[in-house]
Amino acid sequence: MLYSIYRKSEKLILVKMRWYTFLLISILTTRSISAEIYPKFPKDFIFGVSTSAYQIEGAWNVSGKSENIWDHVTHNYPSVIEDRSNADVACDAYHNIDNDVRLIRELGVDSYRFSISWSRILPDGFSNNLNPDGVRYYNELIDKLLANNIQPFITLFHGDLPNCLQLLGGFTNIKVADYFVSYARLMFDTFGDRVKYWTTFNEPKNFCARAVWGNSEQLTVAENISPYLCVYTVLIAHAKAYEVYKNEFAHQNGKLGIVLDLLWAEPKTNSTKDIEAANRIIEFEFGIYANPIFSKEGDFPTIVKDRVANMSKAQGFEESRLPALTKDEINLIRSSADFLAINHYSTRLISDDSDNINISISSQANDVAVISSVDPSWPTSEMEWLFYVPWGFHKNLMYIKNKYDNPSVYITENGFCEKASNDQGRIKYLQGYLQVLSDAISEGCNILGYFQWSLMDNFEWFAGYTKKFGLYEVNFTDPKRPRKPRASVKWYKDFLLNAKSNV
Ligand SMILES: *[C@@H]1O[C@H](CO)[C@@H](O)[C@H](O)[C@H]1NC(C)=O
Ligand SMILES: *[C@@H]1O[C@H](CO)[C@@H](O)[C@H](O)[C@H]1NC(C)=O
Ligand SMILES: *[C@@H]1O[C@H](CO)[C@@H](O)[C@H](O)[C@H]1NC(C)=O
Ligand SMILES: *[C@@H]1O[C@H](CO)[C@@H](O)[C@H](O)[C@H]1NC(C)=O
Ligand SMILES: *[C@@H]1O[C@H](CO)[C@@H](O)[C@H](O)[C@H]1NC(C)=O
């Protein structure tokens, strides 16, 4: 009897063990699969999705909005755009707030990064003429986001300067720094009661490379000097806007940063020359903004100052083509950010080209003197410069940690270019890049948020509508501009659910 009971309970135990073992094994298996596909993130990490005003809003000439430089260029020089298109209508996001906020909410993100169109808010560029419809539009967007528990993350300038200010020289004119600060103050004052995340400029490297354009048959003039004048104006404008935010709006308890982009630069060989060349292009493209703001000593990187000064001298200029910062300016700019925002997409290989410098050509490219290439084994996208190289993202993040004393970082853009609805390349890219992001956080990088680029297909600057970065596909020939989820929408949603439950 006892025996049989024993046998019985033994059997029972066996059965239970089997059941529990099976459960345990299946939990472990699911865990290991989801740990592989869905990397872990800290509980308070912010996930989001990103867009910009000119690329999605449309409504280029409604209710008081004035022409910006992209309106002007696409209308007057359509041949510079791959498909001769413009963003007059784009995704018509201006008329689709409800629908788009619903899509954003359905993704399950914490935050939405968008930019304010300066020429919609201030049609004259100056703060004396505030356009009520611009205020209404962004108020509506901000309030709907907050009603859905989504934090607005605002970029004040994403490439679309009011054309009237371009006619004054755009960012080559140092007075434009003051006009930007007036605009920024007005935005803090108008929206800052509800908006806690601000960035001043998006990817100055890119708009400064074409700082003088839109007011001439040529899109680029004074290439040798205008990018450096623009760098100077942007840094002063950013730092003064930060000062205004801290002095006049501290009670709003928000944070302000700047968005810098960097394609990681890997030396093509281990020769000293190539290692120096890779370091040099990082300093010219990224350090020229990051060093004045995020380094302890401030100012431009020494290599950039020396090199431009030497080249300028050899070219017969009286002073360096790169403006020198005064002591006061260095102090104003240093530490003028609560965080560093990074747009990262891909990596290139860099080799030295110093031996081929033609000294009679004064240009930024000649100052840097490198050759850029890629590894033919890197998986491609439909954008010529975008390759799948997650380890380059990891190196980029470690570089920032080590070089700038581990600043607070938000990744404000990262994404892939692929047209197909079944966008397996985009899913693979997000898996790979989010994994190394998670690794970098485990290795001590102070990264606080990540924004996928982009919510939906949009006007991709010079590529027009030929390149697709959207989680949502947009039909640009349908007047209603319907948005249709690609496979990556489901992937990102699932990822977000797991990234959170994994903690
Ligand atoms: C606005 O621009 C569109 C072209 O995108 C044009 O058809 C329309 O007439 C313009 N409206 C006004 C009020 O200028
Ligand atoms: C450079 O050296 C490192 C460390 O020895 C090695 O891992 C890397 O593969 C080398 N790179 C090239 C391009 O040879
Ligand atoms: C600039 O020129 C000086 C004097 O000729 C030289 O010592 C220095 O190495 C040069 N620096 C760079 C970065 O080319
Ligand atoms: C250097 O550039 C100048 C100006 O563009 C050009 O006239 C000259 O032929 C170039 N020299 C060499 C060696 O390529
Ligand atoms: C896009 O919209 C147009 C106009 O409504 C329609 O003819 C076309 O079939 C749509 N394209 C796709 C891929 O759905």
Side-chain angles (χ1 to χ4, degrees):
M1 185 78 170
L2 262 171
Y3 180 69
S4 73
I5 291 173
Y6 175 69
R7 289 282 303 183
K8 211 176 167 186
S9 55
E10 190 191 36
K11 230 178 178 178
L12 200 68
I13 287 167
L14 210 71
V15 170
K16 269 191 177 167
M17 261 183 64
R18 280 201 184 130
W19 188 76
Y20 279 120
T21 313
F22 175 75
L23 186 71
L24 192 69
I25 287 171
S26 58
I27 287 172
L28 285 175
T29 328
T30 330
R31 271 263 168 102
S32 69
I33 288 172
S34 68
E36 201 173 62
I37 302 178
Y38 303 119
K40 295 179 183 184
F41 286 86
K43 208 174 248 138
D44 51 358
F45 195 81
I46 290 178
F47 280 106
V49 71
S50 206
T51 62
S52 95
Y54 183 69
Q55 294 177 275
I56 66 164
E57 280 180 6
W60 80 278
N61 59 357
V62 309
S63 305
K65 178 183 165 296
S66 74
E67 190 185 47
N68 65 42
I69 57 175
W70 279 91
D71 294 320
H72 186 81
V73 166
T74 55
H75 293 158
N76 294 285
Y77 313 102
S79 63
V80 303
I81 308 297
E82 198 171 320
D83 55 4
R84 301 179 66 90
S85 65
N86 57 52
D88 288 1
V89 181
C91 307
D92 204 19
Y94 176 86
H95 293 112
N96 276 286
I97 293 182
D98 285 348
N99 185 44
D100 289 342
V101 171
R102 185 177 56 80
L103 299 184
I104 297 162
R105 193 194 61 213
E106 281 174 11
L107 280 173
V109 292
D110 310 294
S111 181
Y112 176 50
R113 174 178 178 243
F114 61 97
S115 75
I116 291 181
S117 161
W118 189 340
S119 64
R120 188 180 301 289
I121 283 280
L122 303 175
D124 298 337
F126 301 100
S127 56
N128 62 337
N129 179 15
L130 181 63
N131 178 14
D133 179 67
V135 175
R136 175 210 54 83
Y137 171 66
Y138 294 110
N139 267 334
E140 210 172 311
L141 177 57
I142 290 164
D143 291 343
K144 291 236 161 84
L145 288 168
L146 289 171
N148 285 281
N149 208 15
I150 300 160
Q151 287 298 316
F153 193 111
I154 291 189
T155 311
L156 288 169
F157 183 79
H158 202 119
D160 47 355
L161 191 70
N163 200 56
C164 48
L165 297 182
Q166 187 65 54
L167 296 174
L168 297 175
F171 286 103
T172 63
N173 180 346
I174 188 64
K175 274 307 286 177
V176 169
D178 292 332
Y179 308 148
F180 175 81
V181 174
S182 303
Y183 158 59
R185 176 186 282 111
L186 205 50
M187 296 303 92
F188 302 146
D189 197 31
T190 310
F191 304 122
D193 55 335
R194 288 151 292 156
V195 175
K196 303 304 161 194
Y197 298 95
W198 296 96
T199 60
T200 49
F201 294 99
N202 181 75
E203 301 191 1
K205 177 194 100 191
N206 285 324
F207 68 79
C208 281
R210 294 179 298 271
V212 178
W213 76 328
N215 54 353
S216 148
E217 286 294 326
Q218 287 178 301
L219 289 181
T220 314
V221 295
E223 245 181 310
N224 54 356
I225 279 180
S226 65
Y228 295 130
L229 296 180
C230 177
V231 170
Y232 174 61
T233 306
V234 162
L235 285 169
I236 298 289
H238 164 82
K240 285 185 170 175
Y242 184 77
E243 195 176 55
V244 162
Y245 192 55
K246 292 292 143 175
N247 288 345
E248 300 170 30
F249 300 95
H251 59 279
Q252 292 181 349
N253 287 317
K255 298 200 267 187
L256 183 142
I258 185 168
V259 184
L260 305 180
D261 61 308
L262 182 59
L263 286 172
W264 179 247
E266 182 72 6
K268 185 167 185 178
T269 73
N270 273 333
S271 73
T272 308
K273 278 186 151 190
D274 284 355
I275 291 170
E276 282 174 3
N279 177 59
R280 192 159 69 237
I281 192 160
I282 291 173
E283 293 287 31
F284 266 84
E285 291 185 349
F286 182 76
I288 201 168
Y289 302 100
N291 209 73
I293 301 172
F294 295 97
S295 73
K296 282 202 174 61
E297 67 283 4
D299 203 358
F300 296 122
T302 307
I303 180 79
V304 175
K305 282 193 297 185
D306 285 359
R307 206 150 163 117
V308 182
N310 281 10
M311 292 284 283
S312 303
K313 194 170 173 207
Q315 289 153 351
F317 289 90
E318 267 187 41
E319 56 178 16
S320 176
R321 287 179 282 110
L322 176 70
L325 297 177
T326 66
K327 280 238 153 51
D328 285 349
E329 288 170 339
I330 290 170
N331 288 333
L332 171 76
I333 298 165
R334 191 175 48 208
S335 302
S336 62
D338 299 316
F339 60 88
L340 169 58
I342 297 291
N343 293 352
H344 176 94
Y345 287 91
S346 196
T347 291
R348 63 253 152 107
L349 300 175
I350 295 295
S351 46
D352 180 50
D353 198 32
S354 300
D355 294 341
N356 299 316
I357 292 177
N358 180 342
I359 202 73
S360 56
I361 299 172
S362 61
S363 69
Q364 199 179 21
N366 225 17
D367 296 336
V368 189
V370 301
I371 295 171
S372 184
S373 62
V374 297
D375 185 324
S377 74
W378 292 348
T380 57
S381 74
E382 289 160 15
M383 190 58 135
E384 60 278 5
W385 49 261
L386 206 172
F387 299 82
Y388 174 78
V389 195
W391 58 260
F393 186 30
H394 187 261
K395 285 199 173 188
N396 195 343
L397 297 171
M398 298 316 280
Y399 173 86
I400 289 164
K401 170 177 185 273
N402 297 330
K403 175 97 180 178
Y404 297 111
D405 197 21
N406 206 9
S408 298
V409 167
Y410 289 86
I411 307 303
T412 36
E413 289 182 27
N414 175 247
F416 196 68
C417 182
E418 182 173 24
K419 196 171 278 172
S421 304
N422 179 19
D423 50 343
Q424 296 306 300
R426 181 173 286 110
I427 291 172
K428 179 183 154 184
Y429 180 97
L430 291 174
Q431 282 172 339
Y433 278 68
L434 285 163
Q435 181 61 58
V436 301
L437 182 67
S438 165
D439 295 346
I441 294 168
S442 313
E443 291 158 46
C445 289
N446 187 18
I447 303 162
L448 306 175
Y450 171 92
F451 292 79
Q452 192 275 345
W453 180 277
S454 182
L455 172 64
M456 57 188 150
D457 293 342
N458 58 36
F459 177 82
E460 189 48 45
W461 309 116
F462 291 108
Y465 297 104
T466 67
K467 299 294 190 287
K468 310 295 187 183
F469 277 89
L471 294 176
Y472 283 86
E473 200 173 340
V474 178
N475 183 343
F476 290 102
T477 52
D478 188 319
K480 292 206 169 92
R481 301 297 193 272
R483 290 90 159 107
K484 188 176 133 200
R486 288 197 170 91
S488 50
V489 165
K490 183 176 182 324
W491 187 89
Y492 198 45
K493 254 188 209 178
D494 289 348
F495 160 77
L496 291 171
L497 284 171
N498 278 275
K500 295 186 176 188
S501 64
N502 269 349
V503 177

